[in-house]
Amino acid sequence: MSKADYMLSILWILQQHKRTAAELAGELELSVRSVYRYIDALCASGVPVIADAGPGGGYSLPEHFSAAPLFFDAGERRALVQASAFARGSGYPYEQALDGAIAKLKRYSNAEQLSQMERHESGLETLHSPAAPLAQLLEELEACTADSLTLEMEYRKGSGGFPSSRCIDPYGLVLWKGQWYLTGFCHQRQEVRSFRVDRIAGLRRTGAGFIRPASFSAREFLLQSLLPGQNNPAELTAVVISAAEAVLNDLCSHWLFGHTLEQRSENTARFLLDEATLYSYAPYFLLPYGKALTIREPAALKKKLAEVTAELTAYYNES
Protein backbone atom coordinates (compact mmCIF):
# COMPACT_ATOMS: atom_id res chain seq x y z
CA MET A 1 0.00 0.00 0.00
CA SER A 2 1.03 3.61 -0.51
CA LYS A 3 1.72 6.03 2.32
CA ALA A 4 -1.69 7.65 1.83
CA ASP A 5 -3.38 4.22 2.03
CA TYR A 6 -1.64 3.44 5.32
CA MET A 7 -2.59 6.83 6.76
CA LEU A 8 -6.24 6.34 5.80
CA SER A 9 -6.19 2.83 7.23
CA ILE A 10 -4.86 4.13 10.55
CA LEU A 11 -7.61 6.76 10.56
CA TRP A 12 -10.29 4.14 9.94
CA ILE A 13 -8.94 1.88 12.71
CA LEU A 14 -8.69 4.71 15.24
CA GLN A 15 -12.27 5.75 14.49
CA GLN A 16 -13.35 2.32 15.75
CA HIS A 17 -11.29 2.14 18.95
CA LYS A 18 -8.11 3.28 20.67
CA ARG A 19 -5.00 1.36 19.55
CA THR A 20 -1.38 1.18 20.63
CA ALA A 21 1.42 1.55 18.11
CA ALA A 22 2.11 -2.17 18.44
CA GLU A 23 -1.53 -3.06 17.75
CA LEU A 24 -1.60 -0.83 14.69
CA ALA A 25 1.65 -2.33 13.48
CA GLY A 26 0.22 -5.84 13.86
CA GLU A 27 -3.04 -5.10 12.07
CA LEU A 28 -1.31 -3.34 9.16
CA GLU A 29 1.76 -5.59 9.04
CA LEU A 30 4.09 -2.66 9.56
CA SER A 31 6.97 -1.91 11.85
CA VAL A 32 6.22 0.15 14.97
CA ARG A 33 8.66 2.75 13.62
CA SER A 34 6.57 3.08 10.42
CA VAL A 35 3.41 3.52 12.51
CA TYR A 36 5.08 6.38 14.41
CA ARG A 37 6.02 7.96 11.08
CA TYR A 38 2.46 7.74 9.70
CA ILE A 39 0.98 9.07 12.95
CA ASP A 40 3.37 12.06 12.73
CA ALA A 41 2.27 12.62 9.11
CA LEU A 42 -1.40 12.57 10.15
CA CYS A 43 -0.74 15.12 12.89
CA ALA A 44 1.18 17.35 10.46
CA SER A 45 -1.77 17.27 8.04
CA GLY A 46 -4.11 18.53 10.76
CA VAL A 47 -5.62 15.31 12.17
CA PRO A 48 -6.00 15.75 15.97
CA VAL A 49 -4.59 12.36 17.00
CA ILE A 50 -4.61 11.99 20.80
CA ALA A 51 -1.65 10.12 22.33
CA ASP A 52 -2.09 8.76 25.87
CA ALA A 53 1.00 7.37 27.61
CA GLY A 54 1.18 4.67 30.27
CA PRO A 55 -0.96 1.60 30.96
CA GLY A 56 -4.19 1.65 28.98
CA GLY A 57 -2.76 4.32 26.72
CA GLY A 58 -2.44 4.44 22.99
CA TYR A 59 -3.64 6.49 20.05
CA SER A 60 -7.22 7.69 19.60
CA LEU A 61 -9.32 10.35 17.88
CA PRO A 62 -11.62 12.92 19.54
CA GLU A 63 -15.20 11.86 20.17
CA HIS A 64 -17.52 12.49 17.20
CA PHE A 65 -14.48 12.80 14.91
CA SER A 66 -16.72 11.99 11.92
CA ALA A 67 -18.23 15.48 12.33
CA ALA A 68 -14.80 17.11 12.17
CA PRO A 69 -13.91 19.42 9.26
CA LEU A 70 -11.54 18.46 6.48
CA PHE A 71 -7.90 18.15 7.44
CA PHE A 72 -6.20 21.53 7.11
CA ASP A 73 -2.50 22.26 7.36
CA ALA A 74 -1.12 25.07 9.53
CA GLY A 75 -1.25 27.67 6.74
CA GLU A 76 -4.85 26.82 5.87
CA ARG A 77 -5.95 27.02 9.51
CA ARG A 78 -4.25 30.42 9.87
CA ALA A 79 -5.94 31.69 6.69
CA LEU A 80 -9.38 30.56 7.86
CA VAL A 81 -9.29 32.21 11.29
CA GLN A 82 -7.84 35.42 9.86
CA ALA A 83 -10.32 35.56 6.96
CA SER A 84 -13.14 35.31 9.50
CA ALA A 85 -11.83 38.52 11.11
CA PHE A 86 -12.29 40.36 7.80
CA ALA A 87 -15.89 39.13 7.48
CA ARG A 88 -16.96 40.12 10.99
CA GLY A 89 -18.27 43.68 11.09
CA SER A 90 -18.60 43.96 7.30
CA GLY A 91 -22.28 43.03 7.37
CA TYR A 92 -21.54 39.49 6.15
CA PRO A 93 -24.92 37.74 6.54
CA TYR A 94 -23.65 34.33 7.66
CA GLU A 95 -21.55 35.42 10.62
CA GLN A 96 -23.19 32.91 12.95
CA ALA A 97 -22.41 30.03 10.58
CA LEU A 98 -18.86 31.35 10.22
CA ASP A 99 -18.43 31.39 14.00
CA GLY A 100 -19.71 27.81 14.11
CA ALA A 101 -17.23 26.70 11.46
CA ILE A 102 -14.29 28.31 13.28
CA ALA A 103 -15.48 26.80 16.59
CA LYS A 104 -15.60 23.36 14.95
CA LEU A 105 -12.14 23.85 13.51
CA LYS A 106 -10.82 24.67 16.99
CA ARG A 107 -12.77 21.89 18.67
CA TYR A 108 -11.15 19.22 16.54
CA SER A 109 -7.62 20.58 16.85
CA ASN A 110 -5.04 19.43 19.34
CA ALA A 111 -3.54 21.76 21.95
CA GLU A 112 -0.55 22.77 19.80
CA GLN A 113 -2.71 23.48 16.74
CA LEU A 114 -5.20 25.45 18.86
CA SER A 115 -2.44 27.56 20.42
CA GLN A 116 -1.00 28.34 16.99
CA MET A 117 -4.39 29.39 15.60
CA GLU A 118 -5.12 31.64 18.57
CA ARG A 119 -1.74 33.36 18.22
CA HIS A 120 -2.38 34.12 14.55
CA GLU A 121 -6.00 35.09 15.22
CA SER A 122 -5.04 37.64 17.90
CA GLY A 123 -2.31 39.12 15.71
CA LEU A 124 -4.65 40.43 13.01
CA GLU A 125 -7.64 42.71 13.55
CA THR A 126 -9.77 44.91 11.30
CA LEU A 127 -11.75 48.14 11.65
CA HIS A 128 -15.03 48.51 9.80
CA SER A 129 -17.12 51.63 9.29
CA PRO A 130 -20.38 51.52 11.28
CA ALA A 131 -23.24 50.48 9.01
CA ALA A 132 -26.94 49.71 9.26
CA PRO A 133 -27.78 46.10 10.23
CA LEU A 134 -28.44 44.46 6.87
CA ALA A 135 -27.85 40.77 7.59
CA GLN A 136 -31.45 39.71 6.86
CA LEU A 137 -31.56 41.61 3.55
CA LEU A 138 -28.12 40.40 2.51
CA GLU A 139 -29.00 36.79 3.32
CA GLU A 140 -32.12 36.92 1.12
CA LEU A 141 -30.30 38.72 -1.70
CA GLU A 142 -27.41 36.25 -1.64
CA ALA A 143 -29.78 33.26 -1.64
CA CYS A 144 -31.80 34.61 -4.57
CA THR A 145 -28.61 35.46 -6.45
CA ALA A 146 -27.33 31.89 -6.00
CA ASP A 147 -30.67 30.33 -6.98
CA SER A 148 -31.45 32.82 -9.82
CA LEU A 149 -34.76 33.98 -8.33
CA THR A 150 -36.45 37.23 -9.38
CA LEU A 151 -37.34 39.64 -6.57
CA GLU A 152 -39.86 42.45 -6.17
CA MET A 153 -38.01 45.22 -4.38
CA GLU A 154 -39.20 48.32 -2.54
CA TYR A 155 -36.42 50.88 -3.04
CA ARG A 156 -35.85 54.41 -1.77
CA LYS A 157 -33.86 56.80 -3.93
CA GLY A 158 -31.03 58.83 -2.45
CA SER A 159 -33.17 61.96 -2.64
CA GLY A 160 -35.64 60.41 -0.21
CA GLY A 161 -39.38 60.15 -0.69
CA PHE A 162 -41.57 57.06 -0.68
CA PRO A 163 -40.15 53.71 -1.86
CA SER A 164 -40.94 52.64 -5.40
CA SER A 165 -41.59 49.03 -6.41
CA ARG A 166 -39.60 47.27 -9.14
CA CYS A 167 -38.68 43.72 -10.13
CA ILE A 168 -35.00 42.79 -10.06
CA ASP A 169 -32.96 39.81 -11.24
CA PRO A 170 -30.14 39.87 -8.66
CA TYR A 171 -26.76 39.19 -10.31
CA GLY A 172 -24.41 39.82 -7.40
CA LEU A 173 -23.48 41.72 -4.24
CA VAL A 174 -20.47 44.00 -3.86
CA LEU A 175 -19.00 45.49 -0.67
CA TRP A 176 -17.38 48.85 -1.44
CA LYS A 177 -16.17 51.45 1.07
CA GLY A 178 -18.30 49.96 3.85
CA GLN A 179 -21.48 49.93 1.74
CA TRP A 180 -23.19 46.90 0.21
CA TYR A 181 -24.47 47.21 -3.37
CA LEU A 182 -26.78 44.91 -5.32
CA THR A 183 -26.20 44.69 -9.06
CA GLY A 184 -28.93 43.18 -11.21
CA PHE A 185 -31.30 43.52 -14.14
CA CYS A 186 -34.05 46.08 -13.45
CA HIS A 187 -37.28 45.09 -15.24
CA GLN A 188 -38.60 48.64 -14.91
CA ARG A 189 -35.63 50.26 -16.67
CA GLN A 190 -34.82 47.20 -18.82
CA GLU A 191 -31.11 47.50 -18.00
CA VAL A 192 -28.52 46.34 -15.49
CA ARG A 193 -28.24 48.70 -12.55
CA SER A 194 -26.69 48.90 -9.08
CA PHE A 195 -28.64 49.62 -5.88
CA ARG A 196 -27.53 50.42 -2.34
CA VAL A 197 -28.76 47.66 -0.05
CA ASP A 198 -29.36 50.06 2.86
CA ARG A 199 -32.02 51.80 0.73
CA ILE A 200 -34.03 48.63 0.17
CA ALA A 201 -37.23 48.85 2.21
CA GLY A 202 -38.60 45.41 1.39
CA LEU A 203 -38.14 42.24 -0.69
CA ARG A 204 -40.52 39.61 -1.99
CA ARG A 205 -39.88 36.58 -4.16
CA THR A 206 -42.02 36.63 -7.30
CA GLY A 207 -41.76 32.93 -8.06
CA ALA A 208 -40.03 33.65 -11.38
CA GLY A 209 -36.46 32.82 -12.26
CA PHE A 210 -33.79 34.14 -14.61
CA ILE A 211 -30.56 33.19 -16.33
CA ARG A 212 -27.54 35.18 -15.19
CA PRO A 213 -25.32 36.39 -18.07
CA ALA A 214 -22.21 34.26 -18.46
CA SER A 215 -19.02 35.75 -17.00
CA PHE A 216 -20.89 38.76 -15.59
CA SER A 217 -18.97 40.54 -12.82
CA ALA A 218 -20.97 42.67 -10.39
CA ARG A 219 -17.71 44.18 -9.18
CA GLU A 220 -16.62 45.29 -12.65
CA PHE A 221 -20.07 46.66 -13.47
CA LEU A 222 -20.15 48.75 -10.29
CA LEU A 223 -16.65 50.01 -10.97
CA GLN A 224 -17.55 51.07 -14.51
CA SER A 225 -20.65 52.87 -13.26
CA LEU A 226 -18.47 54.79 -10.80
CA LEU A 227 -15.97 55.64 -13.52
CA PRO A 228 -18.01 56.71 -16.56
CA GLY A 229 -16.27 57.09 -19.90
CA GLN A 230 -13.49 54.58 -19.16
CA ASN A 231 -14.48 52.44 -22.13
CA ASN A 232 -13.86 55.29 -24.61
CA PRO A 233 -10.26 56.59 -24.38
CA ALA A 234 -11.09 59.41 -26.81
CA GLU A 235 -13.32 61.00 -24.14
CA LEU A 236 -10.64 60.95 -21.44
CA THR A 237 -8.35 63.78 -20.32
CA ALA A 238 -4.81 63.24 -19.08
CA VAL A 239 -4.14 64.46 -15.53
CA VAL A 240 -0.47 64.67 -14.56
CA ILE A 241 0.40 65.13 -10.88
CA SER A 242 3.81 65.46 -9.23
CA ALA A 243 4.44 64.78 -5.55
CA ALA A 244 6.66 62.88 -3.15
CA GLU A 245 6.49 59.13 -3.55
CA ALA A 246 4.55 58.64 -0.29
CA VAL A 247 1.93 61.21 -1.37
CA LEU A 248 1.50 59.56 -4.77
CA ASN A 249 1.19 56.16 -3.09
CA ASP A 250 -1.63 57.51 -0.96
CA LEU A 251 -3.33 59.16 -3.92
CA CYS A 252 -3.10 56.01 -6.04
CA SER A 253 -4.69 53.98 -3.24
CA HIS A 254 -7.88 56.04 -3.65
CA TRP A 255 -10.52 54.21 -5.72
CA LEU A 256 -10.86 57.02 -8.29
CA PHE A 257 -7.19 57.61 -9.02
CA GLY A 258 -6.07 54.01 -8.51
CA HIS A 259 -8.40 52.74 -11.23
CA THR A 260 -7.58 55.52 -13.69
CA LEU A 261 -3.79 55.38 -13.35
CA GLU A 262 -2.10 55.09 -16.77
CA GLN A 263 1.57 55.70 -15.99
CA ARG A 264 3.59 56.07 -12.82
CA SER A 265 7.17 57.04 -11.95
CA GLU A 266 8.68 57.72 -8.55
CA ASN A 267 7.45 61.32 -8.31
CA THR A 268 4.92 61.69 -11.15
CA ALA A 269 1.67 59.94 -12.02
CA ARG A 270 -0.52 60.23 -15.12
CA PHE A 271 -4.25 59.50 -14.85
CA LEU A 272 -7.01 59.39 -17.45
CA LEU A 273 -10.33 60.92 -16.32
CA ASP A 274 -13.59 61.67 -18.08
CA GLU A 275 -14.74 65.30 -18.11
CA ALA A 276 -17.53 64.89 -15.55
CA THR A 277 -15.21 63.27 -13.01
CA LEU A 278 -12.41 65.73 -13.79
CA TYR A 279 -14.35 68.83 -12.80
CA SER A 280 -17.06 67.46 -10.47
CA TYR A 281 -15.11 65.08 -8.22
CA ALA A 282 -11.34 65.34 -8.73
CA PRO A 283 -10.91 68.89 -7.32
CA TYR A 284 -12.53 67.88 -4.04
CA PHE A 285 -10.40 64.74 -3.76
CA LEU A 286 -7.21 66.72 -4.41
CA LEU A 287 -8.02 69.70 -2.18
CA PRO A 288 -7.03 68.04 1.15
CA TYR A 289 -3.50 67.41 -0.16
CA GLY A 290 -2.87 71.17 -0.28
CA LYS A 291 0.68 72.03 -1.39
CA ALA A 292 1.84 68.41 -0.95
CA LEU A 293 1.21 67.84 -4.67
CA THR A 294 1.40 69.83 -7.90
CA ILE A 295 -1.02 69.52 -10.82
CA ARG A 296 1.09 69.66 -13.99
CA GLU A 297 -1.82 69.33 -16.40
CA PRO A 298 -4.45 70.13 -17.46
CA ALA A 299 -4.54 73.86 -16.73
CA ALA A 300 -8.34 73.72 -16.51
CA LEU A 301 -8.12 71.43 -13.46
CA LYS A 302 -5.74 73.84 -11.72
CA LYS A 303 -8.16 76.67 -12.46
CA LYS A 304 -11.10 74.66 -11.11
CA LEU A 305 -9.21 73.81 -7.93
CA ALA A 306 -8.40 77.52 -7.44
CA GLU A 307 -12.09 78.38 -7.87
CA VAL A 308 -13.15 75.77 -5.31
CA THR A 309 -10.57 77.08 -2.84
CA ALA A 310 -11.70 80.68 -3.37
CA GLU A 311 -15.34 79.72 -2.83
CA LEU A 312 -14.48 77.98 0.44
CA THR A 313 -12.40 80.95 1.59
CA ALA A 314 -15.22 83.37 0.82
CA TYR A 315 -17.77 81.16 2.57
CA TYR A 316 -15.82 80.96 5.81
CA ASN A 317 -14.87 84.65 5.71
CA GLU A 318 -18.56 85.51 5.57
CA SER A 319 -19.73 83.01 8.21
Side-chain angles (χ1 to χ4, degrees), residues 228-255:
Q230 296 301 305
N231 292 324
N232 189 353
E235 298 178 357
L236 303 178
T237 301
V239 176
V240 179
I241 295 175
S242 296
E245 183 178 10
V247 175
L248 283 182
N249 289 342
D250 185 68
L251 182 63
C252 290
S253 69
H254 190 279
W255 67 270

Side-chain angles (χ1 to χ4, degrees), residues 124-142:
L124 188 150
E125 297 181 80
T126 60
L127 288 173
H128 293 281
S129 302
L134 302 172
Q136 201 168 16
L137 279 174
L138 289 169
E139 187 171 346
E140 177 68 355
L141 289 169
E142 189 279 328

Side-chain angles (χ1 to χ4, degrees), residues 3-13 15 42 71:
K3 176 182 176 180
D5 290 332
Y6 280 119
M7 290 171 65
L8 289 172
S9 296
I10 291 173
L11 267 182
W12 184 85
I13 293 171
Q15 280 186 292
L42 284 170
F71 309 138

Side-chain angles (χ1 to χ4, degrees), residues 58-263:
Y59 294 108
S60 62
L61 295 172
E63 190 178 358
H64 309 306
F65 178 75
S66 60
L70 294 173
F71 309 138
F72 300 113
D73 62 28
E76 291 167 337
R77 290 192 295 271
R78 178 183 64 239
L80 287 170
V81 297
Q82 291 182 343
S84 70
F86 283 94
R88 291 185 182 92
S90 69
Y92 179 67
Y94 304 113
E95 192 170 312
Q96 187 175 356
L98 177 63
D99 289 341
I102 296 299
K104 183 182 291 185
L105 178 64
K106 292 180 177 179
R107 179 184 177 188
Y108 295 104
S109 299
N110 59 36
E112 182 181 350
Q113 293 166 349
L114 182 59
S115 175
Q116 185 182 48
M117 277 191 290
E118 289 177 342
R119 291 198 304 273
H120 286 296
E121 187 176 24
S122 63
L124 188 150
E125 297 181 80
T126 60
L127 288 173
H128 293 281
S129 302
L134 302 172
Q136 201 168 16
L137 279 174
L138 289 169
E139 187 171 346
E140 177 68 355
L141 289 169
E142 189 279 328
C144 291
T145 298
D147 295 335
S148 299
L149 300 176
T150 300
L151 289 165
E152 184 178 351
M153 178 175 72
E154 300 293 323
Y155 188 73
R156 298 188 186 93
K157 293 184 178 180
S159 56
F162 293 101
S164 61
S165 180
R166 66 191 74 199
C167 285
I168 296 291
D169 296 337
Y171 288 170
L173 289 161
V174 182
L175 177 64
W176 181 71
K177 295 187 69 175
Q179 291 286 352
W180 284 96
Y181 292 82
L182 167 70
T183 295
F185 181 78
C186 176
H187 290 231
Q188 179 180 329
R189 294 290 187 89
Q190 287 293 298
E191 63 181 6
V192 179
R193 300 188 67 195
S194 292
F195 305 88
R196 274 181 48 167
V197 175
D198 62 335
R199 294 177 183 167
I200 297 176
L203 291 172
R204 184 182 68 84
R205 299 188 184 190
T206 65
F210 64 90
I211 298 176
R212 188 175 185 269
S215 303
F216 179 84
S217 169
R219 175 187 177 277
E220 291 302 319
F221 178 85
L222 180 63
L223 181 61
Q224 290 301 323
S225 67
L226 293 169
L227 301 173
Q230 296 301 305
N231 292 324
N232 189 353
E235 298 178 357
L236 303 178
T237 301
V239 176
V240 179
I241 295 175
S242 296
E245 183 178 10
V247 175
L248 283 182
N249 289 342
D250 185 68
L251 182 63
C252 290
S253 69
H254 190 279
W255 67 270
L256 173 63
F257 291 96
H259 287 94
T260 58
L261 180 65
E262 184 200 37
Q263 191 174 3

